[in-house]
Amino acid sequence: MMPPFATDLAVRRLIAAAGQAPSVLNTQPWRLRAVRDECAELLADPGRRLRVGDPRGRSLHVSCGAALFNLRLAVRTTGHRPLVRLLPNTAGEPRVLAAVHASPYGPALSRTRELYDSIGLRRTNREPFSERPLSRYVLADLRRAAACEGAGLVVLDPRASADLLECVAVADDELSEDSGYRAEVRAWTTGGSRCDGLPSYVQGPRCADDPAPVRDFGQHGGREPVHFESRPQLAVLTTAGDRPVDWLRAGQALQRLLLTATLHGVSASFLNQPLDLRDMRHRSDPRHRRGHIQMIMRLGYGPAVPRAPRRPTTELA
């Protein structure tokens, strides 16, 4: 059986899948390199790292981990098993975050194909969600998705969600006072220098509620503030450790979770301002009973939304 890295067309298929992963501010900080016909290497793109908001590179690794999961799915649907080495040569080539070899393994399971087919359907949804709660079955499936990748999903009850929203609001206020942070966010949103960042059509409306369950990027094109769901469903993604290898695992868990959510018709958006503030202060995350928090997300049933722009595959190779 021909390896999935053997031809330019096959490699472009892998790049296209990896390139549709979610990333902080849609930075898409990855590249993919085929090493002969033996393996594919996922590399960090340092020119797309958020120097102010992500000084440790945590968000970059999480984003690249999500791309890695898409790459694994694409390899598996060719009838091969992806064999992944995380951070294979940190001393010699620190930009190489993962090396993916392939071994013949037979047809992929139907669930794997469903997840792969959902790659192009997944969206980050910053619109108001309905008041319909997620069922226990759906939440259990999302927890299983995170656990499959060595992470945990902690779904918060209404009181804990309200408390966390207050923390997000406080962190947002502090971040808004940092001129460097504001400039970096502006560079990746409408009016900034990055045409493939977050344009206004994917940023969602301004929220009329306080505290807001969505991030305000300050680019609303004159849209009136709207009310969001009265009881936002928040959840946090956790890992056992807080090192680069754990961040890569968190990204893979995040993308498996998001694709699983897509299969259930569930939308997600993110509220990571407290994590950004912690990273900018160079504070290590204390070990919690349920692990280290890597992502804060809002889950629910939202309307159809457009996809954020993608880098052309020619830029990613």
Side-chain angles (χ1 to χ4, degrees):
M1 184 181 294
M2 183 179 293
F5 324 112
T7 67
D8 289 342
L9 181 62
V11 171
R12 284 199 297 272
R13 175 179 175 270
L14 302 180
I15 292 174
Q20 295 185 70
S23 58
V24 56
L25 294 183
N26 201 40
T27 48
Q28 305 171 68
W30 48 64
R31 290 185 179 273
L32 193 69
R33 179 171 69 191
V35 181
R36 296 182 292 276
D37 62 351
E38 299 176 1
C39 75
E41 292 180 335
L42 181 72
L43 291 79
D45 188 338
R48 288 177 166 261
R49 176 178 168 181
L50 300 175
R51 301 289 176 181
V52 178
D54 187 30
R56 296 200 297 161
R58 187 189 62 83
S59 292
L60 179 146
H61 282 74
V62 172
S63 300
C64 289
L68 175 59
F69 183 76
N70 282 0
L71 174 60
R72 288 168 47 199
L73 283 179
V75 169
R76 185 66 191 93
T77 57
T78 67
H80 294 79
R81 179 175 62 176
L83 307 173
V84 180
R85 290 179 60 206
L86 299 179
L87 305 175
N89 186 9
T90 52
E93 287 195 271
R95 287 194 305 138
V96 178
L97 303 183
V100 182
H101 293 75
S103 173
Y105 201 66
L109 297 176
S110 59
R111 184 58 175 253
T112 299
R113 292 194 170 276
E114 290 171 352
L115 292 175
Y116 176 77
D117 291 341
S118 296
I119 288 175
L121 303 176
R122 183 213 59 81
R123 304 281 189 271
T124 299
N125 194 328
R126 301 178 182 89
E127 296 287 334
F129 294 167
S130 76
E131 299 291 347
R132 174 187 169 194
L134 274 63
S135 70
R136 291 183 179 180
Y137 167 74
V138 170
L139 291 174
D141 208 18
L142 298 182
R143 290 190 186 96
R144 281 192 294 269
C148 282
E149 301 299 327
L153 180 69
V154 181
V155 179
L156 305 183
D157 61 31
R159 176 174 292 182
S161 291
D163 290 343
L164 183 53
L165 279 180
E166 292 287 353
C167 292
V168 169
V170 170
D172 207 35
D173 287 344
E174 292 195 40
L175 290 170
S176 68
E177 297 176 359
D178 188 305
S179 59
Y181 184 86
R182 292 199 313 270
E184 189 170 65
V185 171
R186 192 181 310 116
W188 286 97
T189 54
T190 300
S193 58
R194 299 286 189 168
C195 62
D196 52 1
L198 282 179
S200 58
Y201 66 82
V202 296
Q203 292 178 26
R206 186 164 37 141
C207 182
D209 308 310
D210 185 24
V214 289
R215 186 167 183 173
D216 185 358
F217 296 99
Q219 301 286 340
H220 302 286
R223 296 175 68 178
E224 290 296 323
V226 300
H227 291 284
F228 279 63
E229 61 271 23
S230 60
R231 290 190 175 186
Q233 175 65 81
L234 301 190
V236 296
L237 185 73
T238 66
T239 54
D242 192 36
R243 302 167 298 159
V245 68
D246 300 296
W247 304 335
L248 287 171
R249 292 193 181 106
Q252 294 175 86
L254 174 67
Q255 183 63 346
R256 182 185 282 273
L257 185 159
L258 293 176
L259 294 179
T260 300
T262 301
L263 293 178
H264 289 291
V266 172
S267 298
S269 61
F270 306 100
L271 294 162
N272 290 323
Q273 296 96 310
L275 306 183
D276 292 346
L277 187 62
R278 180 194 68 194
D279 289 344
M280 289 170 61
R281 289 175 171 174
H282 299 278
R283 291 180 178 173
S284 59
D285 186 40
R287 178 66 171 85
H288 301 292
R289 180 171 59 87
R290 294 189 175 183
H292 299 270
I293 297 175
Q294 305 297 350
M295 296 294 292
I296 302 171
M297 65 191 76
R298 163 180 161 253
L299 302 169
Y301 296 96
V305 294
R307 186 180 72 166
R310 298 285 114 184
R311 299 173 68 186
T313 56
T314 53
E315 284 189 11
L316 303 180

mmCIF file of all heavy atoms in Angstrom, residues 139-158:
data_model
loop_
_atom_site.group_PDB
_atom_site.id
_atom_site.type_symbol
_atom_site.label_atom_id
_atom_site.label_comp_id
_atom_site.label_asym_id
_atom_site.label_seq_id
_atom_site.Cartn_x
_atom_site.Cartn_y
_atom_site.Cartn_z
ATOM 1 N N LEU A 139 -22.870 15.295 26.632
ATOM 2 C CA LEU A 139 -21.757 15.671 27.508
ATOM 3 C C LEU A 139 -20.847 14.485 27.783
ATOM 4 O O LEU A 139 -19.617 14.635 27.828
ATOM 5 C CB LEU A 139 -22.303 16.234 28.820
ATOM 6 C CG LEU A 139 -23.009 17.593 28.719
ATOM 7 C CD1 LEU A 139 -23.627 17.971 30.061
ATOM 8 C CD2 LEU A 139 -22.039 18.670 28.255
ATOM 9 N N ALA A 140 -21.421 13.309 27.947
ATOM 10 C CA ALA A 140 -20.606 12.113 28.169
ATOM 11 C C ALA A 140 -19.743 11.816 26.950
ATOM 12 O O ALA A 140 -18.574 11.421 27.080
ATOM 13 C CB ALA A 140 -21.506 10.919 28.496
ATOM 14 N N ASP A 141 -20.303 12.004 25.755
ATOM 15 C CA ASP A 141 -19.531 11.762 24.541
ATOM 16 C C ASP A 141 -18.391 12.763 24.409
ATOM 17 O O ASP A 141 -17.286 12.412 23.972
ATOM 18 C CB ASP A 141 -20.457 11.836 23.325
ATOM 19 C CG ASP A 141 -19.960 10.976 22.161
ATOM 20 O OD1 ASP A 141 -19.128 10.079 22.399
ATOM 21 O OD2 ASP A 141 -20.408 11.212 21.020
ATOM 22 N N LEU A 142 -18.619 14.001 24.798
ATOM 23 C CA LEU A 142 -17.554 15.007 24.753
ATOM 24 C C LEU A 142 -16.460 14.683 25.767
ATOM 25 O O LEU A 142 -15.271 14.858 25.484
ATOM 26 C CB LEU A 142 -18.131 16.395 25.015
ATOM 27 C CG LEU A 142 -19.166 16.901 24.008
ATOM 28 C CD1 LEU A 142 -19.622 18.309 24.377
ATOM 29 C CD2 LEU A 142 -18.625 16.865 22.594
ATOM 30 N N ARG A 143 -16.859 14.214 26.945
ATOM 31 C CA ARG A 143 -15.853 13.810 27.940
ATOM 32 C C ARG A 143 -15.023 12.641 27.416
ATOM 33 O O ARG A 143 -13.797 12.593 27.605
ATOM 34 C CB ARG A 143 -16.535 13.427 29.255
ATOM 35 C CG ARG A 143 -17.147 14.594 30.023
ATOM 36 C CD ARG A 143 -17.557 14.137 31.412
ATOM 37 N NE ARG A 143 -18.272 15.169 32.151
ATOM 38 C CZ ARG A 143 -19.597 15.261 32.224
ATOM 39 N NH1 ARG A 143 -20.364 14.368 31.598
ATOM 40 N NH2 ARG A 143 -20.165 16.237 32.921
ATOM 41 N N ARG A 144 -15.679 11.673 26.764
ATOM 42 C CA ARG A 144 -14.946 10.528 26.207
ATOM 43 C C ARG A 144 -13.962 10.988 25.134
ATOM 44 O O ARG A 144 -12.845 10.472 25.035
ATOM 45 C CB ARG A 144 -15.920 9.511 25.615
ATOM 46 C CG ARG A 144 -16.600 8.624 26.639
ATOM 47 C CD ARG A 144 -17.314 7.460 25.985
ATOM 48 N NE ARG A 144 -18.436 7.901 25.152
ATOM 49 C CZ ARG A 144 -19.675 8.031 25.589
ATOM 50 N NH1 ARG A 144 -19.960 7.770 26.860
ATOM 51 N NH2 ARG A 144 -20.637 8.421 24.773
ATOM 52 N N ALA A 145 -14.371 11.960 24.334
ATOM 53 C CA ALA A 145 -13.486 12.468 23.291
ATOM 54 C C ALA A 145 -12.215 13.048 23.897
ATOM 55 O O ALA A 145 -11.106 12.785 23.422
ATOM 56 C CB ALA A 145 -14.220 13.513 22.448
ATOM 57 N N ALA A 146 -12.348 13.853 24.946
ATOM 58 C CA ALA A 146 -11.176 14.430 25.605
ATOM 59 C C ALA A 146 -10.320 13.344 26.232
ATOM 60 O O ALA A 146 -9.084 13.363 26.127
ATOM 61 C CB ALA A 146 -11.616 15.445 26.655
ATOM 62 N N ALA A 147 -10.965 12.370 26.883
ATOM 63 C CA ALA A 147 -10.231 11.303 27.563
ATOM 64 C C ALA A 147 -9.447 10.448 26.579
ATOM 65 O O ALA A 147 -8.363 9.952 26.914
ATOM 66 C CB ALA A 147 -11.201 10.439 28.363
ATOM 67 N N CYS A 148 -9.962 10.260 25.370
ATOM 68 C CA CYS A 148 -9.250 9.475 24.357
ATOM 69 C C CYS A 148 -7.881 10.052 24.041
ATOM 70 O O CYS A 148 -6.979 9.331 23.601
ATOM 71 C CB CYS A 148 -10.083 9.396 23.073
ATOM 72 S SG CYS A 148 -11.439 8.213 23.118
ATOM 73 N N GLU A 149 -7.721 11.354 24.253
ATOM 74 C CA GLU A 149 -6.449 12.019 23.958
ATOM 75 C C GLU A 149 -5.667 12.369 25.223
ATOM 76 O O GLU A 149 -4.752 13.185 25.187
ATOM 77 C CB GLU A 149 -6.712 13.280 23.132
ATOM 78 C CG GLU A 149 -7.422 13.026 21.811
ATOM 79 C CD GLU A 149 -6.633 12.131 20.884
ATOM 80 O OE1 GLU A 149 -5.375 12.206 20.936
ATOM 81 O OE2 GLU A 149 -7.231 11.361 20.121
ATOM 82 N N GLY A 150 -6.037 11.765 26.328
ATOM 83 C CA GLY A 150 -5.296 11.975 27.565
ATOM 84 C C GLY A 150 -5.601 13.274 28.274
ATOM 85 O O GLY A 150 -4.785 13.768 29.063
ATOM 86 N N ALA A 151 -6.767 13.853 28.012
ATOM 87 C CA ALA A 151 -7.160 15.112 28.664
ATOM 88 C C ALA A 151 -8.467 14.901 29.408
ATOM 89 O O ALA A 151 -9.092 13.836 29.331
ATOM 90 C CB ALA A 151 -7.304 16.228 27.628
ATOM 91 N N GLY A 152 -8.889 15.918 30.136
ATOM 92 C CA GLY A 152 -10.152 15.863 30.862
ATOM 93 C C GLY A 152 -11.038 17.027 30.474
ATOM 94 O O GLY A 152 -10.546 18.122 30.161
ATOM 95 N N LEU A 153 -12.336 16.805 30.478
ATOM 96 C CA LEU A 153 -13.300 17.870 30.243
ATOM 97 C C LEU A 153 -14.139 18.015 31.495
ATOM 98 O O LEU A 153 -14.833 17.084 31.894
ATOM 99 C CB LEU A 153 -14.194 17.560 29.046
ATOM 100 C CG LEU A 153 -15.239 18.638 28.728
ATOM 101 C CD1 LEU A 153 -14.551 19.904 28.211
ATOM 102 C CD2 LEU A 153 -16.266 18.137 27.715
ATOM 103 N N VAL A 154 -14.062 19.174 32.118
ATOM 104 C CA VAL A 154 -14.835 19.457 33.326
ATOM 105 C C VAL A 154 -15.972 20.399 32.926
ATOM 106 O O VAL A 154 -15.734 21.551 32.549
ATOM 107 C CB VAL A 154 -13.964 20.099 34.418
ATOM 108 C CG1 VAL A 154 -14.799 20.353 35.675
ATOM 109 C CG2 VAL A 154 -12.761 19.211 34.733
ATOM 110 N N VAL A 155 -17.194 19.887 32.995
ATOM 111 C CA VAL A 155 -18.368 20.685 32.652
ATOM 112 C C VAL A 155 -18.868 21.355 33.920
ATOM 113 O O VAL A 155 -19.119 20.701 34.935
ATOM 114 C CB VAL A 155 -19.467 19.803 32.024
ATOM 115 C CG1 VAL A 155 -20.699 20.639 31.687
ATOM 116 C CG2 VAL A 155 -18.936 19.097 30.779
ATOM 117 N N LEU A 156 -19.002 22.667 33.898
ATOM 118 C CA LEU A 156 -19.321 23.436 35.097
ATOM 119 C C LEU A 156 -20.830 23.563 35.291
ATOM 120 O O LEU A 156 -21.585 23.682 34.325
ATOM 121 C CB LEU A 156 -18.705 24.831 35.007
ATOM 122 C CG LEU A 156 -17.189 24.880 34.753
ATOM 123 C CD1 LEU A 156 -16.708 26.321 34.759
ATOM 124 C CD2 LEU A 156 -16.429 24.059 35.778
ATOM 125 N N ASP A 157 -21.245 23.567 36.558
ATOM 126 C CA ASP A 157 -22.659 23.792 36.853
ATOM 127 C C ASP A 157 -22.949 25.290 36.730
ATOM 128 O O ASP A 157 -22.032 26.112 36.556
ATOM 129 C CB ASP A 157 -23.013 23.255 38.238
ATOM 130 C CG ASP A 157 -22.239 23.917 39.370
ATOM 131 O OD1 ASP A 157 -21.893 25.112 39.250
ATOM 132 O OD2 ASP A 157 -21.991 23.237 40.384
ATOM 133 N N PRO A 158 -24.228 25.703 36.775
ATOM 134 C CA PRO A 158 -24.570 27.112 36.552
ATOM 135 C C PRO A 158 -23.843 28.083 37.479
ATOM 136 O O PRO A 158 -23.393 29.158 37.049
ATOM 137 C CB PRO A 158 -26.077 27.150 36.764
ATOM 138 C CG PRO A 158 -26.536 25.776 36.377
ATOM 139 C CD PRO A 158 -25.446 24.860 36.834
#
